[in-house]
């Protein structure tokens, strides 16, 4: 405990930067996911009333629903476009400048949302939602990379897991301000949608006072003095020479390589298993069943005889549970490692889904069974928060060196936003056809992913980028082919091109 408080004092600059990056990073993404459900009735009514004012006749209910669905889904389209542009722009203009530009996009989007009702234009909601998506596409790519690069090796797991903490805080904040007693009423819903601009404004004002990442300053800019100054500001006074040496080794390894394009990263043999791991953990995060759990929670709470007006608060309890477990993950990840939290979390989540399928199937035969379903929902969310929620981000940041990270995160962004769109399209169909047995699909995915991670993911806890790269070379080239050059690549693998 004494060591913990000592770190808080020494690394207070780093903790302040983690807070600033999180407020404008993954926090808005979580906020946008949860907050859009609360004003849905009011927005559909507004669309119809606006149409009547313009044309004198109401819209068909199916057309209103179609427009509402497009408002919801255009966020994913914007996010996808933001992810596609982010890799090139962060490489050319640096992460800090791109993140500040993202805040301006978010503020413009908030302005569209705030004025939409006054202007009697539902199109402004559509444009605002699209701009929010573009901003979130940038932020979700920049935040994990930036926060991973500003942290020392011993705190890297903690700092990376804060991405998930702020995401769940965003979800929780959206659930809180979306309550009808706060901003979820018919009169205040435009301000509910615009409130996300506050986090962008806070980061826009505070981020200029923090430095670029030490690795960027040393590797890309070649400015060792600026790197040391950034380290002192973020990590406090002390002997950080070992960390600087690790960055110098990474710089030396990159002298004969250039940043790869996405297609070149996919074709590169030396990155093959990193990509397998990346696609596995990201796809599993999308298809682990957490969205299905949130969907079924309302039905389970109704079956458990919760009063209708209490159900939003019970759902808020689920969100709070996820948030607290993500915070717990940030304290456990550097003790147990990423690999254990991933395969262990997948295994526990799969076990809960098996039990939940049984309790949901039998709840109409035994009146007491739905109480077990409520307990299992909370358990699933706890295991998700402690395991995959935080550890996934940490693994994605750590298995790629700085030169390949932008392209790798572009792939992550595409998987994330396409998965969000596809899941939104097919999930209602799966639920209609399979009912509670839809959890068996997610159970199968979790079981396969747990086995794969247990067998093939090297533990990255406490290792430098070069040590992690050496571990993956054993998988990429085989034990007989691991005699590599100084930069851990076979000599014939060094030809690369610009992004």
């Amino acid at each position: 405990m004494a060591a913990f408080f000592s770190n808080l004092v020494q690394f207070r600059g780093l903790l302040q930067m983690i807070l600033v990056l999180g407020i404008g990073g993954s926090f808005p993404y979580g906020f946008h996911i949860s907050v859009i459900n609360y004003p849905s009735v009011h927005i559909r009514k507004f669309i119809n009333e606006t149409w009547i004012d313009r044309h004198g006749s109401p819209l068909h209910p199916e057309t209103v629903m179609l427009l509402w669905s497009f408002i919801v889904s255009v966020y994913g389209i914007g996010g996808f476009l933001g992810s596609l542009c982010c890799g090139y722009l962060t490489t050319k203009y640096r992460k800090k400048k791109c993140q500040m530009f993202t805040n301006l996009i978010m503020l413009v989007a908030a302005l569209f949302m705030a004025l939409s009702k006054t202007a009697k234009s539902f199109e402004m909601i559509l444009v605002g939602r699209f701009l929010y998506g573009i901003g979130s596409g940038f932020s979700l790519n920049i935040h994990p990379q930036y926060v991973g690069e500003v942290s020392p090796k011993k705190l890297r797991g903690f700092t990376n897991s804060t991405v998930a903490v702020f995401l769940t805080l965003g979800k929780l904040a959206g659930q809180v301000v979306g309550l009808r007693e706060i901003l979820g009423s018919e009169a205040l819903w435009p301000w509910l949608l615009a409130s996300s601009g506050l986090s962008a404004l806070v980061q826009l004002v505070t981020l200029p006072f923090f430095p670029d990442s030490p690795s960027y300053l040393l590797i890309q800019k070649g400015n060792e003095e600026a790197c040391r100054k950034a380290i002192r500001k973020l990590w406090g006074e002390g002997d950080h020479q070992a960390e600087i040496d690790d960055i110098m080794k990474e710089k030396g390894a990159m002298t004969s390589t250039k940043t790869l394009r996405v297609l070149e990263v996919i074709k590169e043999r030396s990155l093959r298993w990193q990509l397998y791991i990346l696609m596995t953990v990201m796809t599993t995060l999308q298809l682990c069943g957490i969205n299905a759990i949130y969907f079924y929670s309302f039905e389970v709470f109704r079956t458990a005889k919760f009063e209708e007006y209490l159900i939003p608060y019970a759902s808020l309890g689920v969100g709070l549970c996820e948030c607290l477990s993500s915070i717990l993950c940030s304290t456990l990840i550097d003790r147990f490692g990423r690999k254990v939290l991933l395969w262990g979390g997948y295994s526990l989540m799969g076990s809960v889904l098996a039990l939940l399928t049984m309790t949901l199937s039998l709840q109409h035969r035994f009146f007491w069974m739905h109480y077990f379903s409520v307990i299992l929902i909370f358990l699933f969310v706890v295991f998700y928060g402690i395991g995959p929620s935080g550890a996934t981000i940490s693994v994605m940041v750590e298995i790629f060196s700085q030169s390949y990270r932008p392209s790798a995160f572009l792939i992550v962004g595409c998987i994330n936003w396409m998965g969000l769109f596809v899941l939104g399209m097919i999930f209602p169909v799966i639920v209609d056809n399979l009912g509670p047995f839809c959890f068996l699909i997610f159970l199968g995915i979790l079981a396969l992913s747990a086995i794969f991670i247990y067998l093939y993911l090297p533990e990255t806890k406490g290792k430098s980028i070069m040590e992690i790269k050496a571990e993956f070379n054993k998988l990429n080239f085989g034990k007989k082919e691991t005699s590599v050059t100084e930069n851990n690549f076979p000599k014939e693998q060094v030809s690369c091109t610009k992004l």
Side-chain angles (χ1 to χ4, degrees):
M1 186 62 72
F4 175 75
F5 285 110
S6 175
N7 283 338
L8 283 182
V9 174
Q10 181 182 351
F11 293 97
R12 60 183 179 276
L14 175 63
L15 295 174
Q16 290 167 359
M17 189 166 188
I18 288 171
L19 179 63
V20 169
L21 288 174
I23 286 173
S26 56
F27 181 90
Y29 174 72
F31 186 87
H32 296 148
I33 286 177
S34 65
V35 82
I36 194 65
N37 296 314
Y38 289 87
S40 60
V41 175
H42 305 314
I43 292 176
R44 291 200 296 268
K45 183 181 177 183
F46 171 69
I47 291 171
N48 204 30
E49 288 175 349
T50 304
W51 194 267
I52 292 171
D53 288 342
R54 292 178 185 175
H55 304 284
S57 60
L59 278 170
H60 192 277
E62 289 185 0
T63 307
V64 174
M65 185 56 70
L66 180 64
L67 286 170
W68 165 246
S69 300
F70 192 52
I71 286 172
V72 174
S73 61
V74 77
Y75 181 73
I77 298 171
F80 183 75
L81 291 175
S83 294
L84 286 179
C85 300
C86 187
Y88 169 76
L89 292 175
T90 53
T91 302
K92 186 172 183 180
Y93 297 108
R94 83 183 199 270
K95 297 177 182 69
K96 182 178 174 180
K97 187 180 289 186
C98 288
Q99 185 59 42
M100 293 178 68
F101 177 71
T102 299
N103 293 324
L104 295 176
I105 295 175
M106 293 289 203
L107 288 172
V108 172
L111 195 62
F112 271 95
M113 292 297 194
L115 299 176
S116 58
K117 191 175 182 181
T118 305
K120 295 183 178 181
S121 171
F122 60 83
E123 293 88 353
M124 291 178 70
I125 303 174
L126 194 67
V127 173
R129 183 84 173 154
F130 178 69
L131 291 175
Y132 272 152
I134 291 176
S136 295
F138 271 90
S139 295
L140 273 187
N141 268 326
I142 296 170
H143 183 195
Q145 296 182 67
Y146 205 162
V147 82
E149 290 171 12
V150 298
S151 62
K153 189 162 56 177
K154 68 177 181 178
L155 294 177
R156 200 170 56 212
F158 165 75
T159 54
N160 288 334
S161 63
T162 60
V163 176
V165 171
F166 280 100
L167 196 152
T168 56
L169 279 173
K171 283 185 186 178
L172 185 63
Q175 290 175 311
V176 171
V177 299
L179 294 172
R180 58 183 174 273
E181 293 85 357
I182 304 179
L183 293 178
S185 64
E186 187 172 359
L188 296 175
W189 64 261
W191 297 105
L192 172 64
L193 298 180
S195 59
S196 178
L198 288 174
S199 61
L201 182 62
V202 170
Q203 189 181 70
L204 184 63
V205 171
T206 54
L207 190 58
F209 295 99
F210 292 91
D212 288 295
S213 70
S215 57
Y216 168 81
L217 292 170
L218 185 56
I219 295 175
Q220 251 108 6
K221 304 298 287 184
N223 191 337
E224 186 173 344
E225 182 55 36
C227 171
R228 290 181 181 275
K229 185 178 178 181
I231 285 176
R232 285 194 300 271
K233 184 170 183 177
L234 295 172
W235 303 349
E237 298 296 333
D239 184 13
H240 304 297
Q241 188 58 44
E243 298 281 350
I244 295 173
D245 290 342
D246 284 337
I247 299 174
M248 291 296 290
K249 288 177 184 176
E250 185 179 354
K251 182 182 180 181
M254 291 171 59
T255 52
S256 56
T257 63
K258 296 180 182 179
T259 305
L260 297 181
R261 294 186 211 143
V262 173
L263 288 178
E264 292 168 330
V265 166
I266 293 172
K267 293 176 182 178
E268 180 61 56
R269 184 183 176 187
S270 60
L271 301 174
R272 187 174 299 167
W273 276 95
Q274 288 95 316
L275 288 174
Y276 292 159
I277 296 293
L278 176 77
M279 295 179 72
T280 299
V281 296
M282 196 63 216
T283 305
T284 308
L285 195 68
Q286 288 281 352
L287 301 177
C288 67
I290 188 67
N291 295 314
I293 287 291
Y294 273 101
F295 178 86
Y296 261 99
S297 63
F298 281 83
E299 181 184 330
V300 170
F301 293 145
R302 286 192 185 98
T303 310
K305 302 296 187 292
F306 279 75
E307 295 290 342
E308 193 67 30
Y309 75 92
L310 289 176
I311 290 178
Y313 298 97
S315 179
L316 183 62
V318 176
L320 180 61
C321 192
E322 182 184 349
C323 182
L324 293 175
S325 56
S326 295
I327 294 172
L328 180 60
C329 174
S330 67
T331 64
L332 297 176
I333 191 166
D334 283 316
R335 179 177 297 179
F336 294 100
R338 291 71 161 144
K339 183 174 182 177
V340 171
L341 291 184
L342 278 175
W343 73 261
Y346 293 157
S347 302
L348 291 171
M349 290 162 65
S351 303
V352 170
L353 287 185
L355 293 172
L356 188 59
T357 303
M358 183 180 69
T359 57
L360 289 175
S361 303
L362 297 175
Q363 66 181 357
H364 298 296
R365 296 181 61 184
F366 303 100
F367 74 93
W368 43 266
M369 195 64 78
H370 46 250
Y371 296 113
F372 283 103
S373 299
V374 171
I375 294 170
L376 289 171
I377 283 174
F378 279 93
L379 276 178
F380 184 90
V381 170
V382 168
F383 294 146
Y384 170 79
I386 292 176
S389 177
T392 297
I393 300 293
S394 190
V395 166
M396 290 191 305
V397 172
E398 292 171 348
I399 62 177
F400 290 97
S401 62
Q402 180 135 337
S403 56
Y404 308 125
R405 211 171 279 141
S407 294
F409 269 78
L410 195 154
I411 297 170
V412 167
C414 291
I415 293 173
N416 178 55
W417 292 103
M418 288 176 65
L420 204 64
F421 179 77
V422 171
L423 197 62
M425 295 293 290
I426 67 171
F427 179 66
V429 179
I430 293 173
V431 171
D432 287 341
N433 287 280
L434 297 179
F437 292 101
C438 70
F439 290 120
L440 295 178
I441 297 174
F442 304 123
L443 170 59
I445 293 169
L446 287 167
L448 291 174
S449 298
I451 294 170
F452 182 82
I453 293 299
Y454 180 80
L455 292 177
Y456 297 111
L457 175 65
E459 181 54 68
T460 59
K461 181 183 75 170
K463 294 179 181 176
S464 68
I465 293 294
M466 302 310 297
E467 290 169 333
I468 294 168
K469 191 183 291 184
E471 290 283 345
F472 273 104
N473 279 338
K474 296 174 185 177
L475 293 169
N476 289 319
F477 302 111
K479 293 182 179 178
K480 294 182 180 179
E481 297 183 60
T482 54
S483 57
V484 292
T485 60
E486 190 181 26
N487 55 356
N488 281 332
F489 285 92
K491 290 179 181 178
E492 70 272 15
Q493 296 287 331
V494 174
S495 58
C496 303
T497 61
K498 288 184 179 179
L499 183 66

